Every structure is written in C-alpha cells, then in structure tokens.
C-alpha cells in the first residue's frame, strides 16, 4: 500500500473539541477538574463516545472502563492504537491527556472524511483513571492483580470495584480487558511535554526515547532533640542538619556526571518542629528517575555511601528504605525513527528526549511496541490551570500522529 501523503488534520475542529471538552468540569479560572469516576468524568466519557461515533468508529467499553473506539481496517491485522486519558488532577489544564484522545479522534475523522482506511484497524483508547491508579492501562497490559481480595481504594476510601461499576466496568471481569501483541501491533501516544525542554532547545516535536524508571525511597533521620540555647554545637545530634547535607547529596548525585537523570527531595517533615529545640527527627522522600536502571543503581549506591558519612559526621542514625519502584519502558526504535522521518518530511523540527513523567504508554509498552510524540508546554507548565499549548502546536502534533500511523501501517503490513 502506498503511503497517503496529502492528508492533514482539521486544526480548527481539533481546537473546537478541545474547548468543548474543557467546558466539562471547567474551573472559574479556566482550568479543569475531572477526577476519575466523578460526575464530570462520566459526562466527559459520554461526550467522547459521541465524538468517536461521529468520526466513524464503533465504540466499546471493557471491564476496566476503557473506552475503545475502533475504525476497521482493510485487512484482519492487529490494531494500531493511540489515545490517552481525559481524567485530570484536581486543578488541571485542558491539554494533559485530552490532546492525545482528541487528536486520535481527529485522525480517524480525517481518514473517514477522505474515504480512506488503513490495512490495520485503528483504535483510539480513553484509559481509565490515569491520574490516579492507572487502572485502565494496567488492566490492558495485564499488570493489575484482579484477584486481590483487598483491591485498591481511592483517597476518599471508595473501592475501585464501586468506581468501575459506575463507569460500566467490572472488577471481577478485569482479566478480560487484557490485550497482547496479537491484538495490538503498536501503540502511539501524542501528549503535551509537561516540561520546558522543547521550549529551551527551540524544537517543535519531542521524539520520546522511553518513559523513565522511578525509584522512591523513604528516609528517616534520628538525632536527639535538645535545648537550642544550652546545647553546644559540637554536642548536637541535629537531624535537620543531617537532612540538609543529605538534600545536597541528592542534588549532587543527579548533577554529576551530567546526564538525563533527575533526583528530588520533595517531602520533608521535622520533629519536634519548634523554634527553640534542636530537631530530633526528620522524615523525607528521595525520588530518582532515569531511563537506565544502571544509572538509578549508581545514584543509589552513591547515596548510601554519602548517608554513612553524614550519619557519622552528625552523630545521627539514617535509614533509607525502598517505597516505590517502576521499571522503565523504552520506546520502539522503529517508531522513534518513523516519527523523526515524518517530522523531516513535514519540515517540523524534532528532538529526542526521555519522558520523566508516567503515561499510559508506560504500561502499554510492556506488551507491544510503543512510541510517544511530545508537543511543547508553554513555560513548562502542566497539572495547572494555566497549562497551554498553542493551536498550531496541537495541529502539528496531530499531523505528526496521523502521518506516523500512516507510515507504520505501510511498514508493518509488509512484515505480515
């Protein structure tokens, strides 16, 4: 099949849909609040379902509550899938997740209006609860334990079974949502960057190399609380002083040697937390991220060495325990190369980069070749009401999505 080269998405229609969906759960300052399973989430799901049908798709909802719009292909082949999520953080923007879903719908609408079908079916997927437990993508990838007698609960205590039932899912049937590479030839997700790298390097498209590994540690520093006035400096066991040295060490292990790795101390509490008492205890978290597990392990080893030295110097006890770990998911080299080639053909600048935030693609990439396309986020802002990506940037991202799917359809079909 010759690759269709003349198709472009309707940028005005994409913006109209972005605006319409942003009106569901709109906040007074212009942001969006659509917490998964809420009334606004339900209304948005109904709106998206109608848009999928209008674009020419048949629509189903699986046991995980994922909305799946399917545009049939010419041949009986695994689907080329795209999509993202439409749930938001409590005070989010109109682009995070939503752009990927609506761009996928626009791709299908463009093909449908042109009377074109690919060899592969196209599926546009709205994944359930990406901002919470990522139930939708995990169920599809088979990484949720549906047999757990104590299933996950929301922050308000509501069980996931109840939540899924509300949106048409079924916890007891969760294994039926699982997909394999025999069902899905590849997954390609368009997303706003949620950072400022593309702006800083002045490129229009980010070609995602993969989604980083996240390792989080809980640290407890035990010193000795004592009188701030009567305890001489050499006799202090100051837990906060030890913590300050550790915070600096966390920065150092990520900054040296230079690379894409990042490390953060984002949570810290002090006890007794009084102006006239030497701190006796500090609890903090360390968040480490990189595409390479070897780099993560290097940072951990260096931190453990620094912790021993800090504990000795400050006469404190420091314990670092693993709290959470997610393995990295690398993007397919074939899909990366295809995105880059499409950008070159469309005369759109591009830049290879990791994704340091989690996405549904992280789970789906465990079962099928995965790729991601980033478009810039103004000033690097996301998960905030002033999140912004221009209409032109949205259109460019959607055009790259469309043309990459066209190219993948041609190249993948030759392998079958």
């Amino acid at each position: 099949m010759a690759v269709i080269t003349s198709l472009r998405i309707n940028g005005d229609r994409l913006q109209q849909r972005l605006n319409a969906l942003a009106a569901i759960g709109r906040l007074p300052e212009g942001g969006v609040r659509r917490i998964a399973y809420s009334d606004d989430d339900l209304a948005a799901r109904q709106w998206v379902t109608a848009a999928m049908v209008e674009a020419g798709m048949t629509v189903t909802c699986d046991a995980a509550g994922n909305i799946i719009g399917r545009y049939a292909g010419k041949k009986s082949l695994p689907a080329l899938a795209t999509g993202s999520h439409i749930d938001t953080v409590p005070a989010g923007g109109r682009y995070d997740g939503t752009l990927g879903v609506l761009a996928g719908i626009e791709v299908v609408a463009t093909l449908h209006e042109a009377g074109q079908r690919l060899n592969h079916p196209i599926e546009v997927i709205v994944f359930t609860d990406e901002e919470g437990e990522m139930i939708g993508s995990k169920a599809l990838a088979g990484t949720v334990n549906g047999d757990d007698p104590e299933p996950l609960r929301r922050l308000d205590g509501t069980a996931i079974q109840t939540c899924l039932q509300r949106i048409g899912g079924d916890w007891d049937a969760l294994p039926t949502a699982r997909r394999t590479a025999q069902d899905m030839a590849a997954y390609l997700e368009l997303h706003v960057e949620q950072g400022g790298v593309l702006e800083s390097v002045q490129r229009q498209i980010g070609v995602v190399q993969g989604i980083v590994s996240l390792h989080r540690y809980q640290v407890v520093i035990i010193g000795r609380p004592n009188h701030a006035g009567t305890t001489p400096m050499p006799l202090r066991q100051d837990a906060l002083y030890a913590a300050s040295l550790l915070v600096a060490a966390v920065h150092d292990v990520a900054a040296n040697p230079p690379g894409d790795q990042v490390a953060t101390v984002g949570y810290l509490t002090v006890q007794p937390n009084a102006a006239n008492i030497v701190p006796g205890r500090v609890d903090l978290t360390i968040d480490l991220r990189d595409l390479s597990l070897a780099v993560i392990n290097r940072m951990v080893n260096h931190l453990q060495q620094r912790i021993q030295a800090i504990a000795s110097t400050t006469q404190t006890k420091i314990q670092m325990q693993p709290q959470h770990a997610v393995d990295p998911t690398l993007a397919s080299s074939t899909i990366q190369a295809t995105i880059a080639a499409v950008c070159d053909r469309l005369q759109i600048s591009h830049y290879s980069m990791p994704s340091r935030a989690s996405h549904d693609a992280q789970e789906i990439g465990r079962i099928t070749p995965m790729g991601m396309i980033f478009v810039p986020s103004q000033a690097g802002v996301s998960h905030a009401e002033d999140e912004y990506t221009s209409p032109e940037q949205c259109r460019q991202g959607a055009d790259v999505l469309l043309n990459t799917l066209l190219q993948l359809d041609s190249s993948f079909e030759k392998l079958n």
Side-chain angles (χ1 to χ4, degrees):
M1 172 184 173
V3 179
I4 305 165
T5 59
S6 60
L7 289 183
R8 296 290 185 275
I9 65 96
N10 185 328
D12 291 338
R13 181 170 57 196
L14 178 58
Q15 283 302 309
Q16 289 168 4
R17 285 177 168 158
L18 281 165
N19 293 337
L21 192 50
I24 302 175
R26 186 182 186 277
L27 295 170
E29 299 300 319
V32 183
R33 178 186 176 92
R34 277 198 308 267
I35 306 299
Y37 316 111
S38 66
D39 289 344
D40 285 326
D41 185 40
L42 286 171
R45 290 167 61 88
Q46 292 172 358
W47 186 94
V48 166
T49 298
M52 286 177 166
V53 172
E54 181 184 353
M57 288 179 267
T58 58
V59 184
T60 57
C61 178
D62 67 16
N66 296 315
I67 302 171
I68 303 172
R70 186 177 176 91
Y71 187 65
K74 293 180 179 180
K75 299 185 178 182
S76 180
L77 293 170
L80 292 173
T82 187
S84 195
H85 63 98
I86 59 173
D87 65 307
T88 73
V89 294
R94 63 177 59 194
Y95 303 96
D96 176 13
T98 301
L99 175 61
V101 170
L102 297 185
I105 293 173
E106 181 57 35
V107 164
V108 172
T110 300
L111 291 169
H112 188 58
E113 289 172 348
Q116 299 284 350
R117 289 189 185 271
L118 306 188
N119 290 307
H120 296 77
I122 296 178
E123 289 186 346
V124 181
I125 306 175
V126 179
F127 292 100
T128 301
D129 194 14
E130 193 271 353
E131 296 292 2
E133 301 296 340
M134 297 182 73
I135 287 295
S137 54
K138 287 180 178 178
L140 197 148
T143 56
V144 174
N145 182 7
D147 296 326
D148 192 335
E150 292 295 332
L152 297 167
R153 292 183 178 273
R154 304 285 291 171
L155 291 176
D156 63 4
T158 307
I160 291 295
Q161 302 111 306
T162 303
C163 296
L164 288 181
Q165 186 177 21
R166 188 159 193 251
I167 61 172
D170 183 351
W171 178 267
D172 293 332
L174 210 59
T176 65
R178 186 172 185 176
R179 308 285 290 279
T180 69
Q182 283 66 51
D183 308 308
M184 191 180 292
Y187 176 72
L188 182 62
E189 182 170 347
L190 172 64
H191 207 283
V192 292
E193 180 194 346
Q194 299 183 282
V197 173
L198 287 175
E199 277 196 347
S200 70
V201 298
Q202 298 183 325
R203 302 293 176 87
Q204 295 163 299
I205 292 292
V207 181
V208 176
Q209 301 162 316
I211 302 173
V212 300
S213 175
L214 183 159
H215 283 227
R216 189 168 294 150
Y217 293 84
Q218 180 71 42
V219 178
V220 178
I221 304 174
I222 303 295
R224 181 179 179 84
N226 217 330
H227 196 291
T230 63
T231 308
M233 302 304 289
L235 299 182
R236 296 185 177 208
Q237 296 171 262
D238 189 332
L240 184 55
Y241 174 55
S244 70
L245 296 176
L246 180 53
V247 170
V250 169
H251 180 274
D252 289 345
V253 299
N256 300 294
D260 289 325
Q261 67 275 1
V262 294
T264 306
V265 175
Y267 170 88
L268 184 148
T269 62
V270 181
Q271 297 180 35
N273 203 25
N276 61 348
I277 302 176
V278 175
R281 174 174 174 142
V282 170
D283 293 81
L284 58 86
T285 59
I286 299 174
D287 185 301
L288 306 174
R289 305 189 189 207
D290 192 76
L291 272 178
S292 168
L293 285 175
V295 172
I296 295 282
N297 291 334
R298 173 185 62 79
M299 289 194 288
V300 171
N301 290 336
H302 286 182
L303 278 176
Q304 289 172 336
Q305 294 172 19
R306 298 286 290 272
I307 282 173
Q308 291 178 1
I310 291 168
S312 176
T313 299
T314 59
Q315 303 178 71
T316 58
K317 295 180 180 179
I318 305 178
Q319 296 178 334
M320 185 172 82
Q321 297 294 330
Q323 185 181 49
H324 181 62
V326 178
D327 288 339
T329 302
L330 299 180
S332 159
S333 58
T334 298
I335 296 178
Q336 290 182 66
T338 304
I339 296 169
V342 165
C343 288
D344 290 339
R345 180 163 58 81
L346 297 179
Q347 298 184 315
I348 296 173
S349 62
H350 55 89
Y351 182 74
S352 292
M353 59 188 296
S355 170
R356 295 190 182 91
S358 295
H359 300 285
D360 292 306
Q362 188 159 22
E363 295 298 326
I364 305 308
R366 306 193 194 286
I367 61 168
T368 195
M370 174 276 286
M372 289 194 74
I373 300 163
F374 277 173
V375 289
S377 296
Q378 182 173 284
V381 174
S382 185
H383 279 192
E385 293 186 80
D386 56 344
E387 174 183 270
Y388 182 73
T389 298
S390 74
E392 175 65 10
Q393 291 166 332
C394 292
R395 182 197 63 76
Q396 286 177 337
D399 272 338
V400 172
L401 175 67
L402 167 61
N403 284 274
T404 301
L405 287 170
L406 292 173
Q407 186 62 55
L408 291 175
D409 178 63
S410 177
S411 58
F412 282 15
E413 196 273 336
K414 292 176 184 177
L415 299 176
N416 289 280

